[in-house]
Amino acid sequence: MSQLDLLWEYQQADMEAERQENTMKRSPTRQRLLKYQEYLREQKAANTHLEEEVQAMSDRVDALKDAISRAEEQLKALHARFEASRPEDSEGVQGFINETQRLVQNISGYEQELRRIRKDAADRDNQQRDILARAAKVRADYDKLKQTYDVEYKENMEKLEQLRAAAAEKSKSIEAVYMEKYKSIKQHIMPPLSQLSGDQCGGCRMSLPSAVLRSVRSGTPVECESCGRLIIR
């Protein structure tokens, strides 16, 4: 049996292993698990974002409380100064009134912002509870499905290893130069070998020049100029 014939037999075994591996990747159970994983990652990211927002709100609340305390202290000091030394003219009185109004408005503005932040924080808290509840349910479904998948994966992996071993056994009779060519072509197109079909490449169905046809029919390794596969008789 020629090296090309041996290579063709190896390809059959190799493609069988590839089909098994692709079947495992396309497993409905695996696809569902991947969707669960993606959902859980998204929910974790969303929860982290909410936590960061809540932390920023908490920092702002602390800053607002400090600002209110300072404004209240300033207001008390202003009133104390007024009582200790009342203005002698209307301009001084008006200045006291203006400063008092400014501080009161600042305090009012800070308090309004505090109420808004607390409401937003409560909304974020509700969102986090919803996220955690949904994530917990999905996690429970994921864990249950994972048990089923583990059994399925073990069975399929055993079959895949058998197919790979069969392909490896066939490769032992093939010269290195042919295996290297096969692996090189496989990186670009599958399957790497195609059989001659009339005057066409059996892989891409492109018609071949007469000189190429003669080479293929004589047993000389020829790569298809169109798809790059190694053509054999």
Side-chain angles (χ1 to χ4, degrees):
M1 186 177 290
S2 71
Q3 286 293 301
L4 290 178
D5 290 334
L6 291 172
L7 196 60
W8 177 262
E9 287 193 356
Y10 169 76
Q11 176 172 272
Q12 307 313 301
D14 186 37
M15 291 300 100
E16 186 66 23
E18 289 282 344
R19 283 190 288 273
Q20 174 65 13
E21 187 172 359
N22 289 332
T23 297
M24 292 172 65
K25 291 178 180 178
R26 294 193 300 267
S27 161
T29 306
R30 180 175 183 271
Q31 296 302 316
R32 285 177 61 194
L33 283 176
L34 291 175
K35 288 182 178 180
Y36 282 155
Q37 289 175 348
E38 180 62 23
Y39 177 82
L40 290 171
R41 280 194 295 268
E42 290 174 353
Q43 296 308 300
K44 182 179 180 180
N47 188 57
T48 298
H49 180 67
L50 287 173
E51 288 177 346
E52 291 172 350
E53 287 187 339
V54 170
Q55 183 58 53
M57 290 177 185
S58 177
D59 293 342
R60 181 56 181 164
V61 165
D62 292 340
L64 287 171
K65 288 180 178 179
D66 290 341
I68 290 173
S69 295
R70 288 194 300 270
E72 289 175 342
E73 289 297 328
Q74 291 171 2
L75 189 58
K76 289 178 182 179
L78 180 63
H79 286 176
R81 287 200 306 272
F82 180 81
E83 292 297 332
S85 178
R86 291 176 179 272
E88 297 179 354
D89 53 27
S90 60
E91 185 177 348
V93 172
Q94 187 60 47
F96 167 77
I97 293 172
N98 291 342
E99 183 65 12
T100 299
Q101 289 177 338
R102 183 186 69 80
L103 290 170
V104 169
Q105 287 173 356
N106 286 346
I107 293 172
S108 177
Y110 295 148
E111 289 175 341
Q112 287 179 9
E113 186 176 355
L114 270 177
R115 287 192 291 272
R116 179 183 61 78
I117 290 176
R118 284 169 176 155
K119 180 180 180 302
D120 289 344
D123 291 341
R124 301 297 191 281
D125 187 56
N126 290 333
Q127 291 176 37
Q128 282 186 290
R129 281 199 295 269
D130 289 342
I131 287 174
L132 294 174
R134 291 195 300 269
K137 183 180 183 304
V138 171
R139 169 58 67 178
D141 292 341
Y142 173 88
D143 291 341
K144 183 178 180 181
L145 188 62
K146 183 67 164 55
Q147 294 178 355
T148 301
Y149 176 71
D150 287 343
V151 174
E152 173 188 308
Y153 178 82
K154 181 179 179 181
E155 294 174 351
N156 285 328
M157 195 62 192
E158 289 176 354
K159 182 177 179 181
L160 177 59
E161 289 173 351
Q162 291 172 358
L163 292 171
R164 284 175 174 169
E169 184 64 28
K170 289 183 178 296
S171 71
K172 293 178 180 179
S173 302
I174 301 172
E175 296 174 7
V177 63
Y178 285 94
M179 283 302 303
E180 289 173 4
K181 174 62 69 175
Y182 178 90
K183 292 177 180 178
S184 175
I185 297 173
K186 185 178 178 180
Q187 292 178 357
H188 306 288
I189 193 164
M190 292 278 286
L193 271 65
S194 66
Q195 288 181 319
L196 185 65
S197 178
D199 63 350
Q200 297 178 337
C201 167
C204 64
R205 298 300 176 184
M206 290 295 292
S207 296
L208 304 172
S210 298
V212 173
L213 289 172
R214 286 195 295 272
S215 295
V216 173
R217 287 166 179 159
S218 69
T220 302
V222 178
E223 291 183 35
C224 176
E225 294 180 356
S226 176
C227 67
R229 290 182 173 90
L230 195 64
I231 307 172
I232 68 171
R233 291 177 298 178

